[in-house]
């Protein structure tokens, strides 16, 4: 394998990891604070992507340069809105009943998938990135490389830094971190925990929506992506450790690299490599790489 | 409580009565056997990934039955539609239901490869029943262990590639290609058909396989050798779209040669950078959107009058239509007489020679598998709409692509490692 091919594959892995990180960070955030295993996270990804698409397409037809950015905002807003409704009407009052929440969110994901199929049909769709980030750029050691994939890394880094600042430097972040440690005490201190929950859920869902639009620009958007991204989020978060942003980043990089290296070396069995990583982590460090021991 | 109980009993009683009545009716029917309906069952995918294809197949069948006024030889056609989801076990269960509960005489179906093999095996256990394929295209449905009760008037996935390998090697003068293909049975068959011709004509091929459902092909695209003169893409649906989009984004510019399901509407109706590469793509298959043939023009015009029809019939509509045409023709020839365990009907069916909707002559070989024409197609923009246009026709392609059957079978079943790329000695 030539050095150039090796570097290309590593870069492919990192850019894919960036997408996985954006989606999985929302999943990890929701789990970290509320212990809610949101099995409808993939549906939020799909809602964001399809609603974003519905707003993007007419604008793109008019050659509006801002079409894609509107798509991103619409996707995030739509996913956040669905997330708020979910938390307010369904998950809020079954707080702490993990199995019940898991089953309810699985049910929701089936309903959402069918509604999207009814509304948008089965044909695959795809966003086109704005001209500024379309085409390819020169990367030393690699050569021409799709600009959008590099852009994905930028977004992921921004999301990572943004989340870190939010959690560590703001009052909301303080409440969220306190809630992770002791919800009852936080509530006793006069913080309206249900409102904090809704804010966190909206944020996590918006990240899924952001991932949806970015993912649907890099790969086709079709029925079934919800299940795929839910599975990836689960694996990333299990490997990285529940509720840790750094852990999610490490998990995403491992899974993204495994997928691309596997595809280059042994394509048929590349899927297995991802799960081998998960099995090894679960065997040696069940709480995940950056997870805190219970 | 007592009210609920009695209501339940009343319902049960009514149900029992209804069942008895129904049974009575069906018991009576043999008495008027002279004009008893011909019961035709069908299995197509109305669920799952190929749901639109299944629907389109039934659209074509309905069109053909309606043209006969739902009557053949004075007997009414009673058509019982079943649905599958492209899974072999589901198709098999629905076929059993049609035979055992609905007591059908003939089944037309199924749509997808593994289903076809399951239904062929099932047909071998039946007596006095006939199964005619719908749109499935696995080679082994008729090539290995054929069943005397299973007939297929459409060509299979390997046949569909006939002529393409020679075209790439001789006409385009490309000596080395890279084949990117899905890692499952249908692409194996297609790659086998392509490689057999291409390598025999002195070409060299590299192969890159990826599992069905792959969405990020970046690392595979990076591995395409620079020495390749063309890219042969044997993907379908979203896999094909993802590959082509990412290849275009990576700045790829090799000429594209397509498998038979690359040029379908999933790919052509989707917008995106892949379109730039797709226009001019050469592929091979049993049909095209534009075929210069009066039979095809007539068929498309009739098809478009059906409710919900696409601008151009899908490959499944064409395959279901071809198979249904054979059944209708044979039933007419025997005047609707299926007596004698259908022995006479099956003999007449096997001897059918007719023109498929595409204008291709169809006849069956000794395994009851179609010998017919394959089209080379090119994607052209017409009225700002990309469509496949047939520009060359390979006539009367048999299942072994002209190789003697024993020699073809000796090559073994197509697989990831058995690509059919054997240089001429």
């Amino acid at each position: 394998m030539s050095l150039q091919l090796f570097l290309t594959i590593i870069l492919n892995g990192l850019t894919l990891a960036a997408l996985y990180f954006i989606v999985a960070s929302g999943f990890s955030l929701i789990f970290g604070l509320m212990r809610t295993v949101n099995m409808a996270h993939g549906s939020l990804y799909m809602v964001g992507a399809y609603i974003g698409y519905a707003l993007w397409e007419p604008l793109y037809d008019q050659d509006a340069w801002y079409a894609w950015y509107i798509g991103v905002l619409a996707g995030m807003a739509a996913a956040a809105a669905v997330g708020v409704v979910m938390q307010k009407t369904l998950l809020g009052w079954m707080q702490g009943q993990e199995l019940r929440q898991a089953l309810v969110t699985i049910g929701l994901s089936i309903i959402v998938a069918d509604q999207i199929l009814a509304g948008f049909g089965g044909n695959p769709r795809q966003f086109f990135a704005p001209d500024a980030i379309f085409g390819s750029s020169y990367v030393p050691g690699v050569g021409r490389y799709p600009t959008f994939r590099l852009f994905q890394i930028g977004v992921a880094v921004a999301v990572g830094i943004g989340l870190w600042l939010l959690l560590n430097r703001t009052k909301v972040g303080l409440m969220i971190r306190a809630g992770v440690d002791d919800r009852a005490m936080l509530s006793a201190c006069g913080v309206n925990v249900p409102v904090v929950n809704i804010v966190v859920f909206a944020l996590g869902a918006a990240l899924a929506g952001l991932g949806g639009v970015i993912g649907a620009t890099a790969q086709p958007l079709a029925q079934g992506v919800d299940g795929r991204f839910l599975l990836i989020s689960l694996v990333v978060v299990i490997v990285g450790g529940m509720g840790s942003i750094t852990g999610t980043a490490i998990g995403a990089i491992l899974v993204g690299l495994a997928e691309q290296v596997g595809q280059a070396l042994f394509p048929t069995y590349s899927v297995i490599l991802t799960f081998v990583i998960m099995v090894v982590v679960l065997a040696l460090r069940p709480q995940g790489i950056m997870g805190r021991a219970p | 409580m007592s009210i609920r109980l009695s209501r339940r009993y009343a319902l049960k009683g009514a149900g029992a009565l209804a069942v008895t009545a129904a049974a009575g009716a069906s018991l009576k029917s043999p008495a008027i056997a002279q004009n008893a309906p011909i019961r035709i069952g069908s299995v197509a995918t109305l669920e799952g990934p190929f749901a639109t294809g299944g629907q389109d197949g039934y659209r074509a069948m309905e069109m053909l039955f309606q043209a006969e006024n739902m009557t053949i030889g004075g007997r009414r056609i009673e058509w019982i539609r079943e649905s599958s989801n492209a899974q072999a076990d589901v198709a098999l269960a629905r076929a059993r239901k049609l035979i055992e509960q609905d007591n059908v005489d003939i089944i037309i179906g199924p749509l997808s490869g593994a289903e076809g093999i399951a239904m062929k095996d099932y047909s071998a256990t039946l007596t006095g029943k006939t199964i005619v394929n719908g749109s499935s295209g696995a080679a082994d449905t008729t090539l290995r262990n054929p069943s005397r009760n299973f007939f297929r008037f459409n060509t299979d996935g390997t046949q569909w590639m006939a002529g393409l390998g020679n075209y790439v090697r001789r006409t385009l003068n490309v000596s080395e290609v890279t084949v990117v293909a899905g890692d499952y049975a249908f692409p194996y068959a297609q790659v086998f058909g392509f490689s057999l011709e291409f390598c025999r004509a002195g070409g060299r091929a590299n192969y890159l396989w990826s599992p069905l459902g792959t969405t990020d092909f970046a690392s595979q695209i990076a591995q395409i050798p620079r020495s390749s003169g063309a890219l042969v893409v044997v993907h379908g649906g979203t896999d094909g779209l993802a590959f082509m989009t990412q290849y275009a984004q990576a700045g790829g510019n090799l000429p594209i040669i397509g498998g038979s399901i690359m040029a379908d509407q999933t790919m052509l109706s989707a917008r995106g950078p892949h379109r730039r590469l797709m226009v001019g793509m050469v592929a091979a298959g049993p049909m095209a959107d534009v075929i210069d043939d009066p039979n095809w023009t007539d068929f498309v015009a009739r098809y478009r009058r059906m409710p919900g029809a696409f601008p151009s019939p899908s490959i499944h509509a064409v395959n279901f239509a071809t198979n249904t045409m054979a059944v209708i023709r044979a039933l007419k020839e025997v005047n609707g007489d299926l007596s004698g365990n259908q022995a006479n009907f099956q003999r007449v069916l096997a001897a059918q020679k007719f023109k498929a909707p595409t204008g291709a002559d169809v006849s069956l070989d000794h395994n009851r598998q179609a010998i017919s024409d394959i089209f080379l197609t090119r994607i052209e923009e017409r009225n700002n709409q990309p469509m496949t246009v047939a520009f060359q026709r390979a006539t009367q392609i048999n299942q072994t692509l002209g190789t003697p059957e024993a020699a073809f079978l000796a090559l073994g079943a197509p697989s990831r490692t058995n690509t059919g790329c054997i240089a001429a000695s």
Side-chain angles (χ1 to χ4, degrees):
Chain A
M1 189 188 287
S2 74
L3 180 66
Q4 189 192 8
L5 181 59
F6 176 76
L7 289 176
T8 308
I9 290 166
I10 298 298
L11 193 55
N12 287 337
L14 291 177
T15 49
L16 189 63
L19 173 62
Y20 291 172
F21 171 76
I22 297 167
V23 181
S25 61
F27 185 80
S28 180
L29 195 66
I30 291 171
F31 182 86
L33 178 69
M34 287 176 274
R35 302 284 145 196
T36 299
V37 181
N38 177 19
M39 302 297 276
H41 197 69
S43 308
L44 294 171
Y45 172 98
M46 202 151 78
V47 165
Y50 273 99
I51 301 291
Y53 187 90
L55 267 85
W56 167 85
E57 196 181 27
L59 288 172
Y60 180 81
D61 285 339
Q62 295 163 21
D63 281 329
W65 64 269
Y66 51 83
W68 190 77
Y69 305 99
I70 295 286
V72 170
L73 291 178
M76 289 176 74
V82 172
V84 168
V85 171
M86 269 171 69
Q87 171 65 17
K88 186 96 185 145
T89 59
L90 290 169
L91 300 176
W93 57 269
M94 49 182 87
Q95 189 67 49
Q97 305 174 48
E98 280 106 1
L99 184 60
R100 195 173 190 177
Q101 288 181 327
L103 288 175
V104 164
T105 48
I106 289 175
L108 261 178
S109 69
I110 295 171
I111 295 171
V112 169
D114 273 352
Q115 293 311 309
I116 288 177
L117 179 62
F120 289 89
N123 273 343
R125 285 147 205 274
Q126 205 158 17
F127 286 92
F128 311 134
D131 294 337
I133 45 177
F134 193 76
S136 54
S137 312
Y138 182 78
V139 178
V142 172
R144 311 291 308 168
Y145 194 80
T147 313
F148 188 76
R149 294 183 75 104
L150 299 172
F151 174 74
Q152 273 171 239
I153 295 187
V155 174
V157 169
V159 166
I161 292 175
L163 279 179
W164 186 84
L165 287 176
L166 176 80
L167 290 176
N168 294 298
R169 291 281 184 272
T170 66
K171 194 150 182 254
V172 178
L174 194 71
M175 288 184 214
I176 293 173
R177 281 182 296 138
V180 172
D181 288 333
D182 196 330
R183 302 171 53 85
M185 188 55 82
L186 181 66
S187 185
C189 289
V191 173
N192 191 342
V193 174
V195 170
V196 176
N197 281 353
I198 287 175
V199 169
V200 169
F201 212 104
L203 185 61
L207 285 172
L210 173 67
V213 177
I214 289 180
T217 314
Q219 309 174 352
L221 170 64
Q223 304 298 323
V225 290
D226 50 347
R228 214 172 75 77
F229 276 92
L230 171 65
L231 185 65
I232 288 164
S233 300
L234 273 169
V235 174
V236 164
V237 168
I238 288 170
V239 169
M242 297 276 192
S244 156
I245 297 299
T246 323
T248 306
I250 293 172
I253 289 172
L254 281 177
V255 172
L257 282 176
E259 200 174 294
Q260 291 296 317
V261 171
Q263 192 183 79
L265 297 181
F266 36 88
T268 309
Y269 307 104
S270 63
V271 187
I272 298 173
L273 195 55
T274 310
F275 291 101
V276 167
I277 292 175
M278 193 168 95
V279 167
V280 170
V281 168
L282 282 178
L284 299 179
R285 206 177 150 79
Q287 70 271 36
I289 291 173
M290 297 298 285
R292 280 186 290 177
Chain B
M1 201 60 192
S2 65
I3 293 171
R4 269 176 71 186
L5 261 181
S6 66
R7 184 182 291 162
R8 184 178 297 171
Y9 276 116
L11 278 172
K12 270 193 181 170
L17 274 175
V19 169
T20 322
S26 67
L27 278 176
K28 261 181 242 154
S29 56
I32 44 164
Q34 210 61 35
N35 279 316
I38 302 171
R39 297 171 75 91
I40 298 181
S42 58
V43 179
T45 52
L46 301 180
E47 310 149 46
F50 300 123
T52 33
Q55 249 172 11
D56 209 32
Y58 277 174
R59 192 171 288 129
M61 278 182 81
E62 189 170 355
M63 180 182 106
L64 295 172
F65 283 147
Q66 276 176 0
E68 304 299 328
N69 249 335
M70 299 300 282
T71 314
I72 293 175
R75 293 179 69 182
R76 203 164 50 77
I77 296 173
E78 205 170 290
W79 179 24
I80 301 151
R81 279 173 262 204
E82 269 299 343
S83 161
S84 163
N85 61 355
Q87 298 292 326
D89 57 329
V90 176
L92 186 60
R94 303 298 155 90
R96 274 184 189 284
K97 181 248 174 197
L98 285 169
I99 296 282
E100 289 164 13
Q101 290 177 33
D102 300 321
N103 199 23
V104 299
D105 303 301
I106 300 161
I107 294 179
I108 299 177
L111 182 134
S112 103
E115 295 182 317
I117 292 175
M119 279 178 61
K120 175 261 290 186
D121 288 339
Y122 174 55
S123 76
T125 68
L126 301 169
T127 314
K129 305 283 182 188
T130 302
I131 298 187
V132 181
N133 189 53
S135 187
S136 78
D140 282 354
T141 310
T142 48
L143 188 61
R144 291 179 175 83
N145 296 321
S147 153
R148 68 198 149 73
N149 292 322
F150 194 94
F151 299 71
R152 181 159 69 182
F153 291 88
N154 63 282
T155 39
D156 73 23
T158 306
Q159 286 173 286
W160 290 350
M161 293 300 254
L164 193 59
N166 280 332
Y167 180 82
V168 173
R169 179 71 198 92
R170 301 207 165 111
T171 311
L172 297 181
N173 199 19
V174 170
S175 58
E176 181 178 337
V177 297
T178 295
V179 178
V180 290
D183 200 358
Y184 62 103
F186 180 73
Y188 294 161
Q190 291 240 289
V191 167
F192 195 84
F194 173 82
S195 307
L196 207 59
E197 271 187 15
F198 183 71
C199 296
R200 204 168 271 175
R204 273 173 300 127
N206 317 300
Y207 299 90
L208 295 170
W209 303 97
S210 55
L212 182 61
T214 301
T215 49
D216 195 334
F217 290 92
S219 290
Q220 193 173 67
I221 290 167
Q223 283 181 292
I224 297 168
R226 285 181 209 289
S227 49
S228 317
L231 204 54
V232 182
V233 188
V234 190
H235 283 300
T238 45
D239 287 28
L241 185 58
F243 179 86
M244 290 303 297
T245 306
Q246 289 157 23
Y247 183 66
Q249 277 173 348
N253 51 14
L254 287 175
I256 305 291
I257 309 296
S260 303
I261 55 171
M262 268 293 280
D264 76 351
Q265 284 302 318
T266 307
M267 295 285 287
L268 295 184
S269 63
R271 310 166 50 161
H274 66 283
R275 276 217 189 168
R276 168 175 67 80
L277 290 167
M278 298 274 297
V279 171
M281 181 186 94
V282 173
M287 62 163 293
D289 295 330
V290 181
I291 303 171
D292 189 14
D293 189 293
N295 291 283
W296 179 246
T297 315
D298 171 63
F299 180 81
V300 174
R302 284 161 62 205
Y303 166 87
R304 280 194 188 147
R305 283 198 287 273
M306 295 298 290
F310 297 111
S312 183
S314 68
I315 195 168
H316 301 296
V318 173
N319 285 339
F320 266 89
T322 309
N323 285 298
T324 307
M325 280 166 81
V327 171
I328 290 175
R329 289 173 61 93
L331 279 173
K332 276 183 176 167
E333 212 172 309
V334 299
N335 208 17
D337 181 9
L338 294 173
S339 58
N341 272 339
Q342 301 195 358
N344 190 40
F345 168 71
Q346 290 193 347
R347 194 179 50 73
V348 168
L349 185 64
Q352 286 302 316
K353 282 185 175 27
F354 61 100
K355 277 197 187 300
T358 55
D361 288 306
V362 185
S363 59
L364 294 190
D365 67 11
H366 64 283
N367 286 338
R368 291 157 301 280
Q369 162 64 36
I371 300 171
S372 190
D373 301 350
I374 302 298
F375 298 92
L376 284 185
T377 67
R378 185 181 289 121
I379 296 179
E380 293 178 12
E381 295 253 13
R382 295 205 172 175
N383 304 325
N384 233 343
Q385 203 53 47
M387 50 183 69
T388 56
V389 179
F391 66 93
Q392 199 173 307
R393 182 194 292 231
T395 52
Q396 298 303 292
I397 301 298
N398 71 4
Q399 200 174 17
T400 60
L401 304 182
T403 314
E405 187 172 326
F408 189 83
L409 286 172
L411 294 174
S415 73
R416 190 183 324 128
T417 46
N418 188 21
T419 56
C421 187
I422 303 141
S425 47

